[in-house]
Amino acid sequence: MTTIRDIARLSGYSVSTVSRVLNQQNYVAPATRAAIQRVIRQLDYAPNAVARTLSSGRTWNVGVVLPHADHPYFTQLLHGIVRAAFAANYHIVLLPSKWEAELELQYLEALRQHAYDALIFTSHGLPLSRLAAYHPAGRIVICQNPGTSPLPAAYAERTATYVAALQRLRAHGHRRVGILTSRPLAVSATTQAMVGAYEQVFHVGLPPERLRTGVITAADGEQAARALMAQAQPVSAILSNGDDIAVGARRAYLAAGQPVPELIGQEHQLSGEVLGLPTIDHHFETVGARAFGLAISRAPQNVAIPSELIVP
Amino acid sequence: MTTIRDIARLSGYSVSTVSRVLNQQNYVAPATRAAIQRVIRQLDYAPNAVARTLSSGRTWNVGVVLPHADHPYFTQLLHGIVRAAFAANYHIVLLPSKWEAELELQYLEALRQHAYDALIFTSHGLPLSRLAAYHPAGRIVICQNPGTSPLPAAYAERTATYVAALQRLRAHGHRRVGILTSRPLAVSATTQAMVGAYEQVFHVGLPPERLRTGVITAADGEQAARALMAQAQPVSAILSNGDDIAVGARRAYLAAGQPVPELIGQEHQLSGEVLGLPTIDHHFETVGARAFGLAISRAPQNVAIPSELIVP
DNA sequence: GTGAAAGCGCTAACAT
DNA sequence: ATGTTAGCGCTTTCAC
């Protein structure tokens, strides 16, 4: 392995002059620069990136914690983050978490160890207070309403749109609405927003059996739909956490020869568009880009991006 | 910032003993270990990851070069890569390229600078020979048939399946088939495989106007379909590089009140399943996982994963 | 078991 | 304009 010292020795100049050449700095005579660059080319030398990072103290890396990548929430968010990171000359490191506390802690430790300049949690299993405890160690951005937590956050403002979606269903005469969501009420702000909106619109609590959680893929949607069909009080409409999932649910009803409930999807996916489903677009790309912006800024700021109900 | 030396000083032991404690090594008296760990906790000390990397020489990072992320080829490949990387305790760094030579070179330089242990090109604009020139500097894996290039490669073996798909169309009586693809014939091995399969099945070259390139999104598919409709010899079937794209094309025909050509999609997407479209599944997740395996192994090996024609 | 010291390869302050 | 040198924070021989 050839180092900066080799270049110095062979060119007859000092390491600092070589370093200046490497970093395009001034105060190097053109002839010197040329001579050094010749040696660099001769030895096929490349400065070690890790050593540079150690000396300079900045990694230009931002870690993005992702529970999984099977949902447009995460993929769109990630795209937004990557786009913004690219523009700012940062690199994105993917950190799969499956919502496991142990993994999340591992990533937080890595932040403490300066493996990343910042961490973005697209979602998290640990309570916000646990995350916030690591905030002094490095910048941590979350992608949901931070509530009273001091963490910087960029997130979709969903409640108003959920209310609008459910009001639409109510206006169409529906009284028994099912809700499909990916994570349990207790841990998910999104689920809480949906259920909260339900209560706001229908003035009663959502019966627990009409909330189907753990629904992530279209196949999950089918299964959830079968569970809803099997109930004594079948639903006449479904608010689903994804167009793909709504399409899965639809398939289950069709397969069972049952009338398909009125569906409202989310994420503005092609599958829903094909069927003319109303959907909710949360503009996650924008949310991601803003989250990245927060990750490399200093101000403890919050950014809420309003969601949008799209009716074909 | 507290360093290993602080811990050494405050605990009364040397840095090397502290280092041994940090790295869970033997030959440390239990009492010593306990004492040191107490100080570590007291000072809230976290060893610097970059310094460790510099000392040890391995980054545990693998860079993944992605032209964009709007196509299932890339997202599925990436998922497979991430899954395998996670299992092997590596991290994935996202490197957006847009097929730009300058960016690709920048990433290759970063490899030379030991910013990554290896680089995976999910696709590339530079000629393979340019990539191969960097191979001595670090492991480079490509995701297409390497031909005579010495680079390790994991890729989908597509030709046989394209032949099968086109034979199906031919058997259905189609003689004028359009092909939608994302990149020009000259630069894309995939496009070449599709066109080559066409020649193999129809025993004539594909008329250039029936090859529509630059088609990436469903909207592109619509536009390409309109171009095909406008031609003197309209096509009666389309082989599309994606179910979503096929769906876009279908929409254009419907909007124009034209009969929809027989469609074959790719990527096994939900949008196609909804419409009962035949599709080609290239098993890109598997390809990605295998590509990662090659990235951290030593043997210069090639892995071809056969594609699969799926008819509902 | 523990410690001293020499790296790892670079940057940057300071000197000339 | 160029050189000397002290870090950056850790790991890893090699002594003892």
Side-chain angles (χ1 to χ4, degrees):
Chain A
M1 161 140 311
T2 119
T3 78
I4 196 173
R5 260 175 271 274
D6 298 323
I7 306 301
R9 195 169 343 102
L10 266 90
S11 66
Y13 291 90
S14 72
V15 287
S16 49
T17 303
V18 175
S19 177
R20 280 188 203 103
V21 170
L22 290 175
N23 295 289
Q24 316 280 12
Q25 296 195 22
N26 305 320
Y27 300 116
V28 180
T32 306
R33 183 182 300 274
I36 289 178
Q37 272 166 342
R38 193 174 324 114
V39 177
I40 287 179
R41 218 154 298 147
Q42 253 170 30
L43 297 202
D44 206 32
Y45 164 74
N48 183 297
V50 180
R52 290 182 134 172
T53 300
L54 178 60
S55 265
S56 69
R58 296 187 67 176
T59 67
W60 294 95
N61 277 345
V62 169
V64 175
V65 179
L66 292 163
H68 58 85
D70 295 335
H71 193 279
Y73 169 69
F74 297 109
T75 53
Q76 292 175 20
L77 213 49
L78 182 60
H79 291 177
I81 291 170
V82 168
R83 180 162 47 76
F86 179 82
N89 254 303
Y90 275 77
H91 287 153
I92 293 303
V93 182
L94 258 28
L95 306 175
S97 71
K98 308 179 225 160
W99 283 298
E100 284 175 19
E102 200 183 334
L103 286 171
E104 294 184 359
L105 282 169
Q106 196 175 305
Y107 300 140
L108 288 165
E109 277 303 321
L111 177 67
R112 260 171 39 92
Q113 301 178 0
H114 296 275
Y116 316 108
D117 291 350
L119 225 44
I120 299 175
F121 278 85
T122 59
S123 179
H124 51 94
L126 292 172
L128 282 184
S129 56
R130 293 291 297 278
L131 299 191
Y134 281 86
H135 201 206
R139 195 120 172 120
I140 300 174
V141 178
I142 57 172
C143 297
Q144 64 166 59
N145 192 319
T148 62
S149 166
L151 290 174
Y155 58 97
E157 184 64 72
R158 323 164 92 120
T159 303
T161 318
Y162 286 148
V163 167
L166 289 164
Q167 274 170 340
R168 178 183 164 88
L169 294 179
R170 190 168 197 273
H172 290 184
H174 298 288
R175 289 298 174 272
R176 286 196 302 277
V177 176
I179 292 184
L180 310 186
T181 184
S182 65
R183 298 171 68 220
L185 186 60
V187 301
S188 165
T190 301
T191 305
Q192 285 157 20
M194 293 170 87
V195 170
Y198 182 95
E199 289 173 10
Q200 199 173 323
V201 170
F202 288 95
H203 307 297
V204 293
L206 177 70
E209 71 275 12
R210 292 218 202 108
L211 175 68
R212 314 304 309 182
T213 65
V215 183
I216 292 172
T217 65
D220 296 336
E222 279 189 79
Q223 200 181 330
R226 282 193 292 270
L228 288 172
M229 277 186 264
Q231 293 176 3
Q233 305 259 321
V235 304
S236 64
I238 294 178
L239 176 58
S240 158
N241 61 327
D243 294 352
D244 282 1
I245 290 162
V247 167
R250 173 177 178 273
R251 187 157 49 189
Y253 280 92
L254 291 176
Q258 300 276 326
V260 178
E262 178 162 350
L263 300 166
I264 294 184
Q266 285 183 62
E267 320 316 349
H268 203 178
Q269 296 168 300
L270 188 64
S271 60
E273 206 171 326
V274 165
L275 298 176
L277 252 47
T279 188
I280 297 173
D281 189 331
H282 295 295
H283 303 302
F284 290 132
E285 271 219 38
T286 307
V287 174
R290 301 299 296 272
F292 178 81
L294 292 179
I296 62 167
S297 90
R298 291 222 51 207
Q301 204 186 328
N302 289 338
V303 180
I305 309 287
S307 301
E308 189 181 354
L309 177 63
I310 296 177
V311 179
Chain B
M1 161 143 310
T2 120
T3 79
I4 196 173
R5 262 176 269 274
D6 298 323
I7 306 300
R9 195 169 341 102
L10 266 88
S11 67
Y13 291 91
S14 71
V15 287
S16 47
T17 303
V18 175
S19 177
R20 282 190 202 100
V21 170
L22 290 176
N23 295 288
Q24 316 279 10
Q25 296 195 22
N26 305 318
Y27 298 115
V28 180
T32 306
R33 182 181 299 274
I36 289 177
Q37 271 166 341
R38 194 173 325 115
V39 177
I40 287 179
R41 218 152 301 147
Q42 254 171 28
L43 297 202
D44 206 32
Y45 164 74
N48 182 297
V50 180
R52 289 182 133 169
T53 300
L54 178 60
S55 265
S56 70
R58 295 186 67 176
T59 66
W60 294 94
N61 278 346
V62 170
V64 175
V65 179
L66 292 163
H68 58 86
D70 294 335
H71 193 279
Y73 169 69
F74 297 108
T75 53
Q76 291 175 22
L77 212 50
L78 182 60
H79 292 176
I81 292 170
V82 169
R83 180 162 47 75
F86 180 81
N89 253 304
Y90 276 77
H91 287 153
I92 293 303
V93 181
L94 259 27
L95 306 176
S97 72
K98 307 180 225 158
W99 283 299
E100 283 175 19
E102 198 184 335
L103 286 172
E104 294 184 1
L105 283 169
Q106 195 175 305
Y107 299 141
L108 288 165
E109 276 303 321
L111 177 67
R112 264 175 30 97
Q113 301 179 359
H114 294 277
Y116 316 109
D117 291 350
L119 225 43
I120 299 175
F121 278 85
T122 59
S123 179
H124 51 93
L126 292 172
L128 282 184
S129 56
R130 293 292 296 278
L131 299 191
Y134 281 86
H135 201 205
R139 195 116 174 123
I140 300 174
V141 178
I142 57 171
C143 297
Q144 64 167 57
N145 193 320
T148 61
S149 166
L151 291 174
Y155 57 98
E157 184 63 72
R158 325 165 91 119
T159 302
T161 318
Y162 286 148
V163 167
L166 289 163
Q167 274 171 341
R168 178 184 163 86
L169 293 179
R170 190 169 197 275
H172 288 185
H174 297 288
R175 289 299 175 271
R176 286 196 300 280
V177 175
I179 292 185
L180 310 187
T181 184
S182 65
R183 296 172 69 220
L185 186 60
V187 300
S188 165
T190 301
T191 305
Q192 284 156 22
M194 292 171 89
V195 170
Y198 181 94
E199 288 172 11
Q200 200 174 321
V201 170
F202 288 96
H203 307 296
V204 292
L206 176 70
E209 71 275 13
R210 293 217 202 110
L211 174 68
R212 314 305 308 183
T213 64
V215 184
I216 292 173
T217 65
D220 297 336
E222 280 189 79
Q223 200 181 330
R226 281 194 292 269
L228 288 173
M229 275 187 265
Q231 293 176 3
Q233 303 259 320
V235 303
S236 65
I238 294 176
L239 176 57
S240 157
N241 62 328
D243 295 352
D244 283 0
I245 289 162
V247 167
R250 173 177 179 273
R251 188 158 47 188
Y253 280 93
L254 290 177
Q258 301 277 325
V260 177
E262 179 161 350
L263 300 166
I264 295 185
Q266 285 185 65
E267 321 315 350
H268 203 177
Q269 295 168 299
L270 188 64
S271 60
E273 207 172 326
V274 166
L275 298 176
L277 251 47
T279 188
I280 298 173
D281 191 331
H282 294 294
H283 303 301
F284 290 131
E285 271 220 38
T286 307
V287 173
R290 300 299 295 274
F292 179 82
L294 292 179
I296 62 167
S297 91
R298 291 224 48 208
Q301 204 185 330
N302 288 340
V303 180
I305 309 287
S307 301
E308 189 183 355
L309 176 64
I310 297 176
V311 179

